Amino acid sequence: MRVLVTGAQGQVGYELLQRVPDGFAVFGYGSQDLDISNADQVRAVFKAVKPELVINAAAYTAVDKAESDAERAYAVNSDGVGLLAAAAENLGIPLLHISTDYVFSGDGDKPYTPEDVTHPTGVYGLSKLAGEKQLSEQCSRHLVLRTSWVFGAHGNNFVKTMLRLGSDRDTLSIVADQHGGPTSAGSIAETLWALASVFRRDGRLGWGVYHYSGAPACSWYDFAKEIFTQAADLGLLEKSPNVNAITTAEYPTPAKRPMWSVLDCEKLVDAHGLVPKNWVQELQTVLRQLGERQSV
Ligand SMILES: NC(=O)c1ccc[n+]([C@@H]2O[C@H](COP(=O)([O-])OP(=O)(O)OC[C@H]3O[C@@H](n4cnc5c(N)ncnc54)[C@H](OP(=O)(O)O)[C@@H]3O)[C@@H](O)[C@H]2O)c1
């Protein structure tokens, strides 16, 4: 099966290309070779690749920058998704797409199900939700996988920021009143390939919106503490810095973050037996990969 992967150099795109299962021929395009917001480029790539399935890992992910760059965020996260959706529909093929916990307000206190009411609080979340709408309106066979707090050995993320800050400073202050599920890019890629494999085998899939994130839920403070403990154990840091727990109010950012980002992933477990991975173990794998790179 011929699969077009967009955003191939991002965290998830990279991991998708690292784990291609047997039976798939993958055509990965980074942003330089395929700008999903450019209709001519989308048309040309679909014509050249002739995909039988598309996985969209491309997105404008600069959450704070989006607040002052809404036009570009919408061009990529909404209109770009619309172009891919229309091109996929034109070929009669499905599109697997990734979305975010930021489609929710964060006011909840129990895990959000895919059916819960959306209410983004910033431009990034609004643009991603607009992309979900474009997809559902323009591509009949579509699947949206909403995820959260993505980390991996490739690309920019919280884990790498903590390692950098942890090697420079003795004490750090980390937000402790926002909760979510850290999710490894590798586990998202595996989940997407598992879904693609079901489609390849059966010629169909339960279309619609699903949630997939790492477990158990924690705060950024908990996540940082675990990063430092594991990194010190593995010798990636000389010692763990002291970590102070602070509130969101003490760490203002241009974009408002959801306080409660926890996703209920049961729908994916029930439909396909795809169980959330433990982020503590996934973190160990990622830190080991980073350690191997350092020692090369
Ligand atoms: N990162 C998170 O914590 C997080 C949380 C929840 C959901 N998600 C979602 O998960 C998905 C994957 O995110 P990620 O963490 O892998 O993000 P990422 O590392 O920022 O990767 C996104 C990729 O998309 C590319 N891109 C940007 N604009 C593009 C365009 N117009 N056309 C084609 N490619 C373009 C970027 O290329 P350039 O670098 O060249 O611009 C980048 O390689 C996204 O849908 C994101 O919204 C992410």
Side-chain angles (χ1 to χ4, degrees), residues 6-14 29-32 34-38 56-62 72 75-77 80 97-102 124 128 145-151 154-157 185 188 220:
T6 58
Q9 281 148 13
Q11 295 195 81
V12 175
Y14 173 87
Y29 282 74
S31 58
Q32 301 90 335
L34 172 59
D35 173 353
I36 65 164
S37 68
N38 182 315
N56 178 34
Y60 182 111
T61 55
R72 190 68 197 138
V76 180
N77 291 344
H97 175 66
I98 310 163
S99 193
T100 171
D101 51 325
Y102 281 44
Y124 168 71
K128 291 291 291 183
L145 195 69
R146 291 190 191 132
T147 189
S148 61
W149 297 21
V150 179
F151 67 95
H154 177 89
N156 297 319
N157 53 62
I188 299 170
W220 290 113

Side-chain angles (χ1 to χ4, degrees), residues 9-180:
Q9 281 148 13
Q11 295 195 81
V12 175
Y14 173 87
E15 297 296 343
L16 280 165
L17 266 62
Q18 297 298 307
R19 304 155 193 258
V20 181
D22 287 345
F24 291 96
V26 174
F27 302 82
Y29 282 74
S31 58
Q32 301 90 335
D33 300 316
L34 172 59
D35 173 353
I36 65 164
S37 68
N38 182 315
D40 290 340
Q41 287 185 20
V42 170
R43 205 175 301 119
V45 167
F46 270 71
K47 199 171 163 204
V49 171
K50 297 183 184 59
E52 296 166 278
L53 174 74
V54 180
I55 304 180
N56 178 34
Y60 182 111
T61 55
V63 174
D64 287 321
K65 195 168 162 220
E67 293 299 308
S68 55
D69 192 17
E71 202 177 321
R72 190 68 197 138
Y74 273 89
V76 180
N77 291 344
S78 178
D79 300 341
V81 176
L83 289 173
L84 293 177
E89 185 71 4
N90 193 32
L91 288 183
I93 63 168
L95 174 48
L96 309 186
H97 175 66
I98 310 163
S99 193
T100 171
D101 51 325
Y102 281 44
V103 299
F104 295 112
S105 69
D107 295 340
D109 56 8
K110 56 180 190 309
Y112 286 111
T113 71
E115 289 72 37
D116 277 334
V117 176
T118 51
H119 187 91
T121 58
V123 171
Y124 168 71
L126 285 161
S127 68
K128 291 291 291 183
L129 186 60
E132 290 188 12
K133 189 161 180 282
Q134 294 247 17
L135 181 59
S136 67
E137 286 173 358
Q138 298 196 54
C139 182
S140 42
R141 293 193 291 169
H142 67 271
L143 189 145
V144 175
L145 195 69
R146 291 190 191 132
T147 189
S148 61
W149 297 21
V150 179
F151 67 95
H154 177 89
N156 297 319
N157 53 62
F158 185 76
V159 173
K160 289 216 189 149
T161 304
M162 288 303 110
L163 292 179
R164 197 175 60 247
L165 295 177
S167 67
D168 288 350
R169 300 189 196 168
D170 293 330
T171 303
L172 292 169
S173 296
I174 305 292
V175 171
D177 58 357
Q178 292 173 23
H179 290 83

Side-chain angles (χ1 to χ4, degrees), residues 175-178 220 246-253 256-259:
V175 171
D177 58 357
Q178 292 173 23
W220 290 113
I246 58 167
T247 64
T248 300
E250 290 173 282
Y251 186 74
T253 52
K256 190 172 175 245
R257 262 77 178 162
M259 301 293 284

